[in-house]
Amino acid sequence: MGHDLVALGEVMLRLAAPPPQRLEQATSLDVQIGGAEANVAAACARLGLRTALISALPADHAWGDRTVREMSGHGVDCAGVLRRPGSRMGLYFLEYGSAPRPVRVLYDRRDSAASCLTADEVDWSRLDGARLLHLSGVTAALGDNLRDVLRRAVQEAAARGVPVSFDVNYRSRLWGPEAARDFFEEILPALRYLFVGADDAETVFGLSGAPEAVLSGLRGLAPRATIAVTLGEAGSVVLADGAVVRPSKLYTVTVVDRVGAGDAYAAGFLWATLAGRSAQGAADAATALAALKCTIRGDIPLVTRPELEELLASDSTEIRR
């Protein structure tokens, strides 16, 4: 039996300064793992889907071993993760901000195992029988070889009849908007699901104004896709089968860690969709999981299906006994 969702991308070590310290003050760092596509795979696995990860990690390496253990512990099949001898993991350093100081991220991922991945190294049979392939623009930003991997991934998925989901996830520290747009426009026509933040839609595609206008512009680029534009605290807007859908409710959130909230949104949406729920149900699940993620430290939403269903049924914060 194939996987419900296969994700392809880099898993990194996340090294965070204990808030409210700045990185230059920190004498210790909180160590976790994270990565856009891996976050989605882990979140969906925790909600009950069969998920798998395609990536690369160093071999005979404590952090690589820990990453496989943790992803497997969430329920993600890591058999498609290449272990490369003599390589390293990518790092990212996180500094939490309190308004008006923003959250800041510093990357150290050059020549990491995943950033050196080539299309011929990937075991594409991992897509056999899959219901969905999930990709993101973070991987595309890492170099020509990774863009070739994503092109090949889209081709391999099409050959197997596997729909493709894509989160734009534009990273200005990794590449410029023109280079990003040129690549995205290659693959957008093939997508079945597209996720993009309103800020990224404006920066990368020059689309701004009312959310419906942004959706219309994106529809021209991704004519086959269900499109979700996330709007931060204002929620999201989804274009599915010609109809515009908004979440049924928004949540008052005490934010602990907003890093990974967009990945949680995508995971909730894809989980609900693969579970056979309507576009409205998917938008509601995505919004709820993103809200829950913001209350949890780390990249991955440590949420079970009963907890998500509970929030969807009632947003009460009374003590559960």
Side-chain angles (χ1 to χ4, degrees):
M1 182 181 295
H3 296 93
D4 295 310
L5 181 144
V6 178
L8 187 160
E10 182 172 28
V11 193
M12 294 185 294
L13 285 180
R14 165 186 147 137
L15 305 172
Q21 292 183 354
R22 305 206 68 181
L23 282 168
E24 66 182 74
Q25 296 175 290
T27 57
S28 63
L29 298 172
D30 177 63
V31 180
Q32 298 195 42
I33 64 168
E37 304 87 351
N39 296 341
V40 171
C44 286
R46 293 180 62 88
L47 295 175
L49 296 183
R50 302 182 307 275
T51 73
L53 178 67
I54 295 173
S55 188
L57 290 167
D60 302 318
H61 188 284
W63 293 120
D65 294 344
R66 172 174 167 172
T67 299
V68 170
R69 284 197 307 272
E70 290 198 15
M71 292 298 294
S72 299
H74 292 304
V76 179
D77 180 353
C78 293
V81 176
L82 174 71
R83 303 300 299 272
R84 192 187 303 282
S87 63
R88 56 165 298 208
M89 281 190 71
L91 312 177
Y92 85 88
F93 297 87
L94 178 63
E95 179 182 285
Y96 294 101
S98 298
R101 182 163 54 89
V103 175
R104 296 191 184 278
V105 174
L106 300 176
Y107 292 111
D108 178 13
R109 64 202 307 178
R110 186 183 298 276
D111 297 326
S112 67
S115 70
C116 297
L117 190 67
T118 64
D120 289 339
E121 291 179 303
V122 175
D123 178 6
W124 296 110
S125 70
R126 306 301 297 169
L127 296 178
D128 292 347
R131 298 175 64 197
L132 188 70
L133 169 65
H134 182 68
L135 309 171
S136 100
V138 178
T139 300
L142 298 181
D144 289 339
N145 59 305
L146 270 302
R147 289 189 278 279
D148 285 341
V149 169
L150 293 193
R151 291 184 182 99
R152 177 75 172 274
V154 171
Q155 294 169 1
E156 295 283 349
R160 293 168 170 81
V162 178
V164 178
S165 163
F166 189 81
D167 192 336
V168 166
N169 261 334
Y170 174 67
R171 297 290 186 264
S172 61
R173 291 183 180 273
L174 299 179
W175 58 347
E178 291 185 5
R181 181 173 60 251
D182 288 345
F183 176 76
F184 293 155
E185 289 181 350
E186 286 185 47
I187 65 171
L188 289 177
L191 302 181
R192 183 64 185 87
Y193 303 97
L194 173 63
F195 302 94
V196 56
D199 290 347
D200 288 351
E202 181 172 5
T203 300
V204 177
F205 302 110
L207 299 171
S208 60
E212 290 79 6
V214 175
L215 284 174
S216 179
L218 291 169
R219 166 60 74 205
L221 299 171
R224 298 170 52 197
T226 293
I227 303 169
V229 176
T230 54
L231 307 170
E233 293 181 358
S236 64
V237 59
V238 176
L239 180 62
D241 298 323
V244 175
V245 174
R246 293 178 180 270
S248 299
K249 61 181 176 180
L250 302 179
Y251 300 91
T252 300
V253 178
T254 300
V255 177
V256 171
D257 185 354
R258 63 169 54 90
V259 177
D263 302 328
Y265 181 96
F269 194 99
L270 296 175
W271 165 75
T273 299
L274 291 172
R277 303 194 183 192
S278 65
Q280 183 66 67
D284 290 344
T287 302
L289 189 59
L292 288 170
K293 164 63 201 72
C294 287
T295 71
I296 298 167
R297 188 81 68 198
D299 271 37
I300 296 169
L302 304 180
V303 177
T304 64
R305 177 172 178 172
E307 290 170 334
L308 179 57
E309 298 280 20
E310 182 180 60
L311 181 60
L312 288 169
S314 170
D315 56 2
S316 170
T317 57
E318 293 297 317
I319 295 174
R320 303 296 194 267
R321 300 185 189 272

